[in-house]
Amino acid sequence: MAKNFFWLHVKKSGGTSIRTILQPHYTLVDRAKKPVNFIQSKPSEYNDILNNYRVVLGEYQFKRTLFAKKFLFKEEWAQIESFAFSREPTDRVLSMYFDLFKGKFFLKHLIKNRKFLFSNSYRFDFFLDCIVEAQESSSIYTPLGLSFSTHTAPMFEDVTDNNGVILLKRIYRLENLTKGVNEVFESCGITRRQEKIEVRKNKSKNRKSMPLSSLQIIKIRKIYEKDFELYENAM
């Protein structure tokens, strides 16, 4: 009998591709049109529900692995093969920016604060300020809503307990996606093996026109300091 696995989807880290690769061993649910919750669902669906940012978890909103261990898989957590993929944090932040910048809420916020007509680099500074504001806010909806807060949340909090102890058995670098999936499959007794997976790079044409300043790089490293440590120590 194959052992179960738990995959934590870190936003802007290859989630769509990984969901496809894990089929049919990862059960998909409707995450957008009619999102389901835990109480109405089967345990096999819990993982994908937890990976849906629209499902609000209260004080565990950014502690999803701890939520999984404490409430969803309490009895079997020690036996579950738990894993996630870490994307290089600066690359992840740029991906966040070029994705979320298109969103109507961020554009509305730019216009409201009279920053829409400034340079792309200036708007990026404003974007970083919004991330800091979201992390310091007592509300998961401030300043730009739940989607913004969850997509820009640091990975570290999501994979650790309240003492900063990592709860996942395996954390791989995103560029080692093939290795990670195959090792998890092998550990779970799944015979299928995945061929070489090409991880799509952040190829936005806008990125080339927006080189980061030294101050922006320093700020990113400060905001995501523990995520850089995760990435550097990942398999």
Side-chain angles (χ1 to χ4, degrees):
M1 181 177 178
K3 184 167 63 172
N4 292 331
F5 63 72
F6 169 82
W7 162 61
L8 185 76
H9 173 202
V10 179
K11 302 299 183 290
K12 308 311 300 175
S13 300
T16 299
S17 298
I18 296 170
R19 274 190 174 90
T20 301
I21 292 166
L22 294 179
Q23 294 304 304
H25 310 287
Y26 177 90
T27 304
L28 299 173
V29 298
D30 186 343
R31 298 187 307 280
K33 296 180 180 179
K34 294 182 179 180
V36 295
N37 57 35
F38 299 109
I39 197 170
Q40 71 188 106
S41 306
K42 299 177 292 186
S44 61
E45 298 172 325
Y46 287 173
N47 197 166
D48 204 37
I49 296 172
L50 186 67
N51 281 332
N52 183 7
Y53 74 87
R54 300 172 185 85
V55 178
V56 179
L57 303 174
E59 64 182 300
Y60 292 90
Q61 188 68 37
F62 306 113
K63 303 292 291 185
R64 289 177 297 152
T65 306
L66 181 58
F67 184 91
K69 178 184 178 183
K70 191 171 181 179
F71 299 110
L72 302 181
F73 310 108
K74 185 175 182 180
E75 302 301 326
E76 65 268 39
W77 182 255
Q79 286 72 48
I80 290 176
E81 194 62 52
S82 54
F83 67 104
F85 292 94
S86 172
R87 183 174 184 174
E88 196 282 320
T90 301
D91 195 49
R92 182 180 172 227
V93 171
L94 285 167
S95 182
M96 294 174 194
Y97 175 70
F98 288 119
D99 182 36
L100 296 171
F101 177 74
K102 301 173 187 175
K104 60 182 179 180
F105 295 110
F106 188 48
L107 290 175
K108 183 178 179 180
H109 207 61
L110 283 169
I111 294 170
K112 178 181 177 181
N113 288 274
R114 301 181 182 277
K115 298 181 185 292
F116 185 73
L117 297 178
F118 288 88
S119 69
N120 205 27
S121 180
Y122 193 94
R123 291 197 295 266
F124 185 73
D125 284 329
F126 182 61
F127 176 76
L128 294 179
D129 289 340
C130 288
I131 294 176
V132 173
E133 185 178 352
Q135 292 182 12
E136 293 178 348
S137 174
S138 60
S139 170
I140 60 177
Y141 301 102
T142 302
L144 291 168
L146 183 61
S147 178
F148 182 90
S149 297
T150 52
H151 280 71
T152 61
M155 177 180 178
F156 182 81
E157 294 301 322
D158 249 351
V159 302
T160 57
D161 64 14
N162 292 324
N163 296 314
V165 176
I166 296 175
L167 299 174
L168 297 175
K169 291 181 178 178
R170 303 166 184 258
I171 296 179
Y172 295 95
R173 293 187 179 191
L174 185 58
E175 56 265 36
N176 293 332
L177 181 56
T178 308
K179 170 187 174 182
V181 168
N182 285 335
E183 286 186 358
V184 169
F185 280 176
E186 181 178 3
S187 178
C188 290
I190 298 170
T191 57
R192 183 168 67 87
R193 293 293 176 268
Q194 185 66 42
E195 297 297 324
K196 177 65 177 177
I197 307 165
E198 294 297 332
V199 179
R200 187 176 67 177
K201 301 291 185 180
N202 188 343
K203 295 182 178 179
S204 171
K205 61 181 180 181
N206 297 318
R207 178 175 176 175
K208 295 180 180 178
S209 63
M210 196 191 76
L212 297 180
S213 70
S214 58
L215 290 178
Q216 288 170 334
I217 293 172
I218 290 171
K219 190 164 188 177
I220 292 171
R221 293 199 71 92
K222 182 177 180 181
I223 295 172
Y224 293 98
E225 179 180 4
K226 293 183 179 179
D227 282 13
F228 277 97
E229 293 178 8
L230 278 179
Y231 179 78
E232 289 163 6
N233 291 297
M235 293 188 280

